[in-house]
Amino acid sequence: MQRRDPDMSPSSADRSSLHRALDTMPQMVWSTRPDGFHDYYNQRWYDFTGVPEGSTDGAGWNDIFHPHDQADAWRKWRHALATGDLYEIEYRLRRHDGVYRWVLGRALPIRDAQGVIERWYGTCTDIDDLKTVERRLNRSEERFGSLVAATDAVVWSAAADGGFDRPQPRWMAFTGQDEHAAAGWGWLAAIHPEDRSTTAQDWSRALVSRALYQTSHRLRRHDGVYRAMLVRATPLVGADGSVEEWVGIHTDVTDLKEAENALRRLNETLEVKVGQRTAELVRARKVLEVTNQGLETAVRARTADLQTANEELKRFAYIIGHDLRAPLVNIMGFTSELEAGRDALSGFYEAAIATVPALTSPEIDRLFKEDFDEAIGFIRSSTEKMDRLINAILTLSRAERRMVTPEAIDMQAFLSTLRGSFGPSLAAVDGAVEIDPDLPEVVSDRLALEQIFSNLTENAIKYRAENRPVRIRIGGRLSDERAVFTVADNGRGIDPKDFERVFELFRRAGVQDRPGEGIGLAHVRALARKVGGRVTLASTLGEGTVFTLDLPRRISQTFQASE
């Protein structure tokens, strides 16, 4: 607060000069009498609001605030007048084009030498762009949180020096370390003792080079079991070029490692068994030579064939062993080759025991009839599970990274075209899609809406009731500045306890008699949110389900930036 000597009160000329100076400022400035009566606004105020000069004098200023903010502004202004305290408030001010913009209003009193208030001077600062940035940051944090919640991976962050400087919920939940134990470099205690030194060295080099951190080690779970982890971390660099923090992720690859080990053990067992059987064949050849010299030529040729097959089998086993540590796609490919080799060797074995029945062995029989199938099945199920998981995460990630492209969409024509694409599927189940007339037009992202309505239509066909033809009805209406669409079907319905569950990633509900990975409705909800909408459902078991898609009637490039 400023105090002014009574003998130094500004003259009319001084005040006029002050007002001319204030008119040149890019910021809105105003002043009031001691009782709060507004009697001055600079030119920027009138340029921004577009109101006639003098129309906001007195209490008229409150009328161009957003209706929801007027009462709070009056309350805080009266409080400031009564106490002489700083007046500060954020509110929405109507611009000359009718758009409400967020503004920061502040005012302080000027007092004379005795402390009596002579005038109030205030400013209005447009902070709408800052608010937009804040909303965008909050939305990004929500998306990141959703992605973290949807994955089993351990996500963490570290300070620029490599230590944990804040609580790490996923880390603490997995390892059982408390905040104090994990703080700083205390997290190293959860790493397997044999891996700590290498981990610390790799981490230190990454901190110095500020490059992508990649390593693998064993991490102790809260139950004391060590799990194999693939680790990645990247630095977040500030505007000044310095590292502000590191964000990392631990992915549990124990199942994949176990699959690799199982394949390696199977290969080792196969080599031993083949070696043993080859020795037995050599001994059998000698017995046959003594018993029947007439069979010497045939036995020699057969032995040569067996030796060739044995060498080929060894080379084949070496190739498989060499590629055990290759990426997931190589494991899947060589699993198929292993199956082919099994069939060839089985045929050879059957031929061998047909010639020399004494060579048969329960262990070899079990090897061909049980052990092979069990190991390969385990490998395939593990790799297929990992492949589906990776593909699902990539699908959502690509959807999150994709930029929204607003365009005007005639929903009547749009949905009619979409219905045509489902013609064969509907015909196969005696189904039909009805589209209500006069659907509202929207300005939105065409690809996002296409994926949303396609997923909902496909689900209605997939989870149909077997005792009646499929009937799908799509409707729409306007609600203020939003467009509300419904997709109703007469399918099997959803239990109320699963209404939210079906929107969760990798979650499915009801009888699992249809193929799927549990990402369709999660993808629908993510896409709806991306275009500023929301999706809900209502359902009755045995009768059908209604999905409701609530969208902004119009999105723009400004909306896209705020997201």
Side-chain angles (χ1 to χ4, degrees):
M1 299 180 188
Q2 181 177 351
R3 300 182 185 276
R4 186 184 298 277
D5 191 291
D7 296 332
M8 297 180 64
S9 298
S11 65
S12 296
D14 292 337
R15 183 169 296 177
S16 177
S17 297
L18 173 61
H19 289 176
R20 285 196 300 272
L22 294 178
D23 282 341
T24 65
M25 294 181 61
Q27 189 175 31
M28 291 176 275
V29 181
W30 48 270
S31 69
T32 78
R33 301 171 186 169
D35 61 0
F37 185 92
H38 289 63
D39 60 0
Y40 170 74
Y41 298 91
N42 73 341
Q43 186 59 43
R44 175 59 181 157
W45 168 270
Y46 293 111
D47 292 342
F48 182 90
T49 62
V51 298
E53 187 171 347
S55 63
T56 51
D57 287 358
W61 52 272
N62 196 252
D63 294 339
I64 58 175
F65 286 17
H66 192 283
H68 292 171
D69 302 334
Q70 292 177 5
D72 190 43
W74 265 119
R75 181 180 59 79
K76 291 187 176 182
W77 178 234
R78 291 192 184 101
H79 175 79
L81 293 175
T83 63
D85 292 342
L86 168 70
Y87 169 68
E88 184 171 28
I89 183 175
E90 292 182 4
Y91 55 87
R92 286 161 288 183
L93 182 63
R94 190 179 67 230
R95 199 168 57 184
H96 58 81
D97 56 2
V99 174
Y100 284 96
R101 301 273 296 180
W102 280 101
V103 170
L104 172 63
R106 304 184 76 231
L108 281 169
I110 293 180
R111 302 175 185 269
D112 62 17
Q114 285 71 42
V116 177
I117 295 176
E118 291 183 335
R119 288 191 69 79
W120 287 81
Y121 278 93
T123 60
C124 298
T125 304
D126 188 337
I127 59 171
D128 198 78
D129 292 339
L130 179 60
K131 286 280 190 179
T132 298
V133 172
E134 289 177 352
R135 288 194 298 270
R136 182 180 181 185
L137 290 175
N138 291 337
R139 185 61 177 146
S140 295
E141 291 177 357
E142 290 175 2
R143 286 201 185 105
F144 180 74
S146 298
L147 182 60
V148 170
T151 178
D152 292 332
V154 180
V155 181
W156 48 269
S157 64
D161 63 1
F164 287 174
D165 60 348
R166 64 175 71 95
Q168 305 293 329
R170 296 304 288 266
W171 178 274
M172 294 187 293
F174 185 89
T175 64
Q177 283 188 311
D178 57 28
E179 179 181 351
H180 176 74
W185 283 60
W187 53 268
L188 268 175
I191 308 300
H192 194 285
E194 296 176 1
D195 301 337
R196 286 177 193 163
S197 177
T198 301
T199 297
Q201 293 173 11
D202 292 345
W203 185 227
S204 298
R205 282 194 293 268
L207 296 176
V208 173
S209 65
R210 307 199 310 177
L212 176 67
Y213 171 59
Q214 304 182 72
T215 191
S216 60
H217 55 227
R218 289 161 287 180
L219 181 65
R220 187 183 64 240
R221 198 167 57 188
H222 55 80
D223 57 2
V225 176
Y226 283 94
R227 303 286 291 180
M229 290 287 179
L230 181 65
V231 189
R232 297 288 186 273
T234 187
L236 300 183
V237 180
D240 60 355
S242 63
V243 175
E244 295 182 347
E245 65 174 332
W246 290 75
V247 176
I249 183 171
H250 275 61
T251 303
D252 192 332
V253 294
T254 305
D255 292 342
L256 184 59
K257 289 285 187 181
E258 290 176 353
E260 292 176 351
N261 292 335
L263 188 58
R264 183 178 64 253
R265 288 193 297 270
L266 181 62
N267 179 60
E268 293 171 351
T269 300
L270 181 62
E271 287 183 342
V272 172
K273 296 295 184 181
V274 169
Q276 293 173 346
R277 186 55 64 192
T278 301
E280 292 174 0
L281 290 173
V282 172
R283 289 193 297 270
R285 184 192 64 182
K286 293 179 179 179
V287 172
L288 289 174
E289 287 176 351
V290 173
T291 304
N292 189 353
Q293 293 298 325
L295 296 177
E296 180 178 357
T297 301
V299 170
R300 184 180 296 111
R302 189 61 172 168
T303 301
D305 291 341
L306 290 174
Q307 289 175 335
T308 300
N310 183 43
E311 292 300 319
E312 291 178 353
L313 185 58
K314 285 184 177 180
R315 288 195 296 271
F316 173 69
Y318 170 78
I319 292 172
I320 295 178
H322 178 72
D323 287 341
L324 281 176
R325 297 178 180 83
L328 180 64
V329 64
N330 291 340
I331 293 179
M332 297 173 67
F334 279 98
T335 300
S336 298
E337 291 198 19
L338 182 60
E339 287 182 306
R342 183 269 314 273
D343 295 338
L345 187 59
S346 177
F348 165 74
Y349 174 66
E350 293 295 336
I353 63 175
T355 303
V356 186
L359 298 180
T360 187
S361 165
E363 293 182 354
I364 298 297
D365 287 345
R366 186 173 58 254
L367 178 66
F368 284 113
K369 297 178 181 179
E370 299 177 9
D371 294 351
F372 260 117
D373 291 341
E374 180 181 353
I376 292 174
F378 176 77
I379 295 167
R380 283 204 177 280
S381 63
S382 296
T383 54
E384 288 172 359
K385 178 181 178 182
M386 183 67 72
D387 186 54
R388 290 195 301 270
L389 175 63
I390 292 171
N391 287 336
I393 293 175
L394 288 177
T395 297
L396 292 181
S397 178
R398 282 192 292 267
E400 287 296 325
R401 292 197 305 269
R402 185 181 157 276
M403 297 294 292
V404 172
T405 305
E407 62 175 287
I409 303 174
D410 180 343
M411 293 301 292
Q412 205 75 41
F414 170 80
L415 290 171
S416 295
T417 301
L418 185 67
R419 175 174 58 186
S421 68
F422 281 94
S425 300
L426 290 167
V429 294
D430 190 21
V433 176
E434 299 178 9
I435 302 174
D436 288 353
D438 302 323
L439 295 181
E441 296 185 1
V442 298
V443 175
S444 192
D445 184 87
R446 180 178 293 273
L447 180 58
L449 295 190
E450 181 177 296
Q451 292 178 344
I452 290 172
F453 282 100
S454 292
N455 265 291
L456 296 179
T457 304
E458 182 179 347
N459 272 7
I461 298 174
K462 180 188 295 184
Y463 299 106
R464 61 188 179 276
E466 298 296 341
N467 60 347
R468 54 181 176 266
V470 174
R471 292 295 180 267
I472 305 169
R473 182 170 183 173
I474 303 177
R477 58 183 174 82
L478 288 177
S479 178
D480 294 329
E481 289 302 312
R482 301 188 70 82
V484 180
F485 297 93
T486 57
V487 179
D489 64 59
N490 63 342
R492 62 178 64 173
I494 300 172
D495 194 305
K497 66 182 177 62
D498 293 324
F499 281 6
E500 283 302 314
R501 176 187 176 90
V502 296
F503 289 109
E504 296 176 6
L505 193 61
F506 310 124
R507 293 298 191 101
R508 305 178 68 193
V511 179
Q512 305 299 308
D513 59 349
R514 296 288 189 273
E517 303 303 329
I519 67 171
L521 290 179
H523 191 36
V524 166
R525 174 165 281 185
L527 288 169
R529 288 174 175 168
K530 190 171 183 65
V531 294
R534 53 185 175 270
V535 61
T536 56
L537 71 86
S539 184
T540 301
L541 279 174
E543 296 183 10
T545 303
V546 178
F547 287 91
T548 300
L549 178 64
D550 186 338
L551 299 171
R553 187 178 182 185
R554 179 182 300 273
I555 64 174
S556 63
Q557 296 297 332
T558 301
F559 168 84
Q560 179 173 317
S562 68
E563 288 295 298

